[in-house]
Amino acid sequence: MSVTEEADRRAAPPAGPGRTGAGSLTTRRDYLRIVTVVSGGLALGGAGVAGGMLHREGDSEGSPGPKRIAARLAVGEAVAFRYPGAEDRAVAVRLSDGSLVGYSAVCTHMACAVLWRENRGSEGELYCPCHEGVFDILTGEVAAGPPPRGLPKVVVVERLDGSVWAIGTARSGESLEEGLCRQLLKDYPETAREIGCPGAPPVGSEEA
């Protein structure tokens, strides 16, 4: 059984709005469990998910704290915010199916600001005006131009009251599952063990 399947098995059924983001490896119930523990009781009812790391070299350590980024986000709307640090530009978009995606808004080519262009394609696109870089809104991967790799991603979730929060990141090249497990293993090893993260310490090892 995978990490996400184990988390899904242990989690209580979710309530309220919120959908899993495009390309996610986890379910809303995974986040209802993980986020409640990781954020110290910030109970989040639904999730829209994306994985990646904000810093270009992926050198962030630990679990960034949760941050509210919008009171509400309607379909076809985007919000710019700073996460995980005050200097880290990021953007979240509500897709037509109601799911949420979040990405770094720093181009992987020359660190210019990335903008969301609503009128490009069915869901819009992420665009760097410096050298005409284009990123796929569904995956964050390079669609055109000189960027050498896709945009790092941000985990964004929706609370029962409709507010949207950024709650975590994962490094470039990691799956969302790998990124969350890495952070949980460092800061919340018991939770990492409960949901089946590879490399989690066995029961009783904390006292050894």
Side-chain angles (χ1 to χ4, degrees):
M1 182 178 291
S2 71
V3 171
T4 51
E5 288 171 340
E6 175 63 11
D8 191 60
R9 184 184 68 81
R10 291 172 175 271
R19 301 187 183 187
T20 304
S24 169
L25 296 180
T26 59
T27 67
R28 294 170 57 207
R29 283 182 286 180
D30 299 336
Y31 279 95
L32 184 61
R33 167 143 184 102
I34 294 172
V35 174
T36 299
V37 176
V38 171
S39 64
L42 177 64
L44 302 175
V49 187
M53 183 58 228
L54 285 181
H55 299 290
R56 290 183 64 190
E57 301 304 322
D59 57 357
S60 177
E61 297 295 337
S63 302
K67 178 180 180 179
R68 192 175 87 152
I69 61 174
R72 286 187 179 276
L73 197 62
V75 169
E77 289 185 347
V79 60
F81 58 100
R82 302 278 178 155
Y83 191 82
E87 303 303 316
D88 296 311
R89 297 188 300 271
V91 61
V93 180
R94 175 84 73 177
L95 301 177
S96 60
D97 66 356
S99 64
L100 295 164
V101 290
Y103 301 99
S104 166
V106 178
C107 184
T108 56
H109 178 223
M110 303 243 348
C112 292
V114 170
L115 309 173
W116 179 61
R117 300 202 294 188
E118 178 182 6
N119 60 347
R120 296 301 180 102
S122 61
E123 301 282 4
E125 70 181 13
L126 296 165
Y127 170 72
C128 177
C130 291
H131 301 96
E132 303 293 317
V134 178
F135 301 89
D136 189 308
I137 191 66
L138 299 179
T139 65
E141 295 303 312
V142 178
R149 58 188 178 278
L151 289 173
K153 302 171 188 177
V154 183
V155 181
V156 286
V157 300
E158 182 179 39
R159 290 190 66 176
L160 293 175
D161 63 4
S163 60
V164 179
W165 294 69
I167 63 160
T169 62
R171 294 173 177 168
S172 296
E174 284 182 324
S175 68
L176 178 62
E177 188 174 71
E178 290 167 340
L180 286 176
C181 278
R182 173 177 50 78
Q183 294 174 21
L184 289 171
L185 285 166
K186 177 178 174 60
D187 297 330
Y188 304 92
E190 183 176 344
T191 300
R193 180 176 63 240
E194 288 178 355
I195 67 170
C197 286
V203 175
S205 62
E206 290 83 355
E207 290 109 15

